[in-house]
C-alpha cells in the first residue's frame, strides 16, 4: 500500500498539520507533497488539487492498494477522515479503548472540526507565528478561558497525561488551537493541568518538527488581525 499526503504550508495549514501528525505519531510511512497555499500561488496549486479531490482543499491522502486489486486508488479528502483512517490502520492506537470514553473523545474532535467556540475563527493559525502578538479582547479571553476550563476538567477526570488518558486524536486535533490560544494567552494559575498538558503536547517531537519548520518561514500577515 502506498500513501501520499498532500499537505500544506507549515505556518498556514492547521488542517494538514492534524492529518500529518496522526501519520507521524503512528509511524506509518507516507510520501508528503507540500502544497504551497500562500497567495498568489495558492489559487493555481489548489486548482491542481481539484483535479483529483472534490473538496479542493488540503490535506488529501491518496491511498493506492496492491496493484492486483480493482479500484485500488482511494482519495480521502478531509482531515478528520484521514485521522480516523490512520487510527484504523494502526489498530486503534489513537482512540481510547473504552466505548464511552471514545465517544467523548470523538465529541471533542467533532467540536474542533465543526468550529470550536468563537475564538478560533477570529485568531488565525498564521497568527500563532507572529513575533508580536495582539492583546486579546475581553470576549476572546472569556472564550479562551472557557476552553481552558473544559480541558482542565477532562485532565482532572481522566488523570492525564492527555485529555482522555493516553495521547489520542482528540489531543492531536487540538494542537493548532492550543498553539494559537496559548501563544496569545498563557493559561493562568486557575488552569494548572491545562498549562502542563499544553506544554507536553506542544513539545511532542513530531509537533516540534512541524512547528520548527513553521517558525522558519516568513509570517503570513492578514489585515484583519488587528481589527
Ligand atoms: N474540512 C477540511 C478543511 C480543509 C481546509 O480548509 N484546508 C485549507 C488549508 S488548511 C485549504 O486547503 N484551503 C484552500 C482554499 O481555501 O483555497 C479538512 O478538515 O480537511
Amino acid at each position: 500500500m502506498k500513501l501520499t499526503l498532500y499537505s500544506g504550508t507549515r505556518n498556514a495549514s492547521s488542517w494538514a498539520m492534524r492529518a500529518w501528525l496522526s501519520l507521524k505519531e503512528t509511524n506509518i510511512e507516507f510520501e508528503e507533497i507540500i502544497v504551497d497555499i500562500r497567495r498568489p500561488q495558492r489559487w493555481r496549486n489548489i486548482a491542481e488539487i481539484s483535479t483529483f479531490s472534490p473538496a479542493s482543499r488540503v490535506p488529501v491522502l491518496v491511498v493506492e492498494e496492491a496493484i492486483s486489486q480493482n479500484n485500488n486508488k482511494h482519495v480521502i479528502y478531509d482531515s478528520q477522515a484521514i485521522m480516523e483512517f490512520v487510527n484504523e490502520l494502526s489498530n486503534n492506537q489513537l482512540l481510547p479503548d473504552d466505548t464511552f470514553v471514545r465517544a467523548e473523545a470523538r465529541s471533542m474532535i467533532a467540536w474542533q472540526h465543526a468550529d470550536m467556540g468563537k475564538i478560533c475563527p477570529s485568531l488565525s493559525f498564521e497568527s500563532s507565528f507572529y513575533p508580536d502578538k495582539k492583546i486579546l479582547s475581553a470576549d476572546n479571553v472569556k472564550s479562551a478561558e472557557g476552553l481552558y476550563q473544559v480541558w482542565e476538567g477532562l485532565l482532572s477526570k481522566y488523570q492525564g497525561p492527555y485529555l482522555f488518558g493516553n495521547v489520542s486524536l482528540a489531543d492531536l486535533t487540538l494542537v493548532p488551537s492550543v498553539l494559537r490560544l496559548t501563544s496569545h494567552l498563557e493559561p493562568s494559575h486557575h488552569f494548572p493541568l491545562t498549562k502542563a498538558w499544553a506544554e507536553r503536547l506542544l513539545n511532542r517531537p513530531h509537533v516540534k518538527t512541524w512547528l520548527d519548520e513553521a517558525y522558519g518561514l516568513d509570517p503570513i500577515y492578514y489585515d484583519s488581525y488587528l481589527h
Side-chain angles (χ1 to χ4, degrees), residues 54-193:
S56 194
R57 295 265 193 280
V58 288
V60 184
L61 185 67
V62 177
V63 182
E64 289 163 87
E65 289 183 75
I67 304 296
S68 58
Q69 297 184 28
N70 287 332
N71 299 320
N72 71 324
K73 196 165 172 176
H74 307 279
V75 178
I76 310 175
Y77 48 84
D78 177 84
S79 61
Q80 192 178 340
I82 295 170
M83 293 178 97
E84 287 277 353
F85 173 72
V86 167
N87 178 56
E88 286 186 32
L89 281 189
S90 71
N91 287 326
N92 305 312
Q93 271 177 48
L94 289 178
L95 281 175
D97 290 336
D98 182 275
T99 305
F100 304 98
V101 184
R102 194 161 64 245
E104 265 194 79
R106 283 199 167 116
S107 304
M108 181 65 72
I109 296 164
W111 186 22
Q112 170 66 79
H113 208 61
D115 186 3
M116 175 168 274
K118 283 196 195 130
I119 194 165
C120 289
S122 76
L123 212 54
S124 71
F125 183 55
E126 288 85 336
S127 72
S128 312
F129 305 100
Y130 296 169
D132 297 312
K133 300 287 199 297
K134 69 178 175 183
I135 309 273
L136 296 188
S137 67
D139 261 6
N140 281 351
V141 171
K142 200 171 155 207
S143 306
E145 292 192 336
L147 287 169
Y148 294 166
Q149 189 66 61
V150 172
W151 296 332
E152 193 75 12
L154 289 169
L155 291 160
S156 164
K157 179 176 175 186
Y158 292 110
Q159 308 272 293
Y162 289 92
L163 290 183
F164 298 94
N166 293 332
V167 70
S168 76
L169 291 183
D171 304 285
L172 300 182
T173 202
L174 287 170
V175 167
S177 297
V178 167
L179 179 69
R180 47 189 167 196
L181 294 178
T182 59
S183 65
H184 283 84
L185 182 74
E186 200 182 314
S188 72
H189 66 279
H190 297 295
F191 311 107
L193 302 177

Side-chain angles (χ1 to χ4, degrees), residues 9-30:
T9 311
R10 294 294 193 243
N11 60 350
S13 188
S14 61
W15 298 110
M17 183 185 191
R18 295 173 168 102
W20 183 92
L21 274 178
S22 64
L23 285 158
K24 287 288 188 183
E25 291 276 352
T26 47
N27 288 318
I28 290 175
E29 286 208 12
F30 64 101

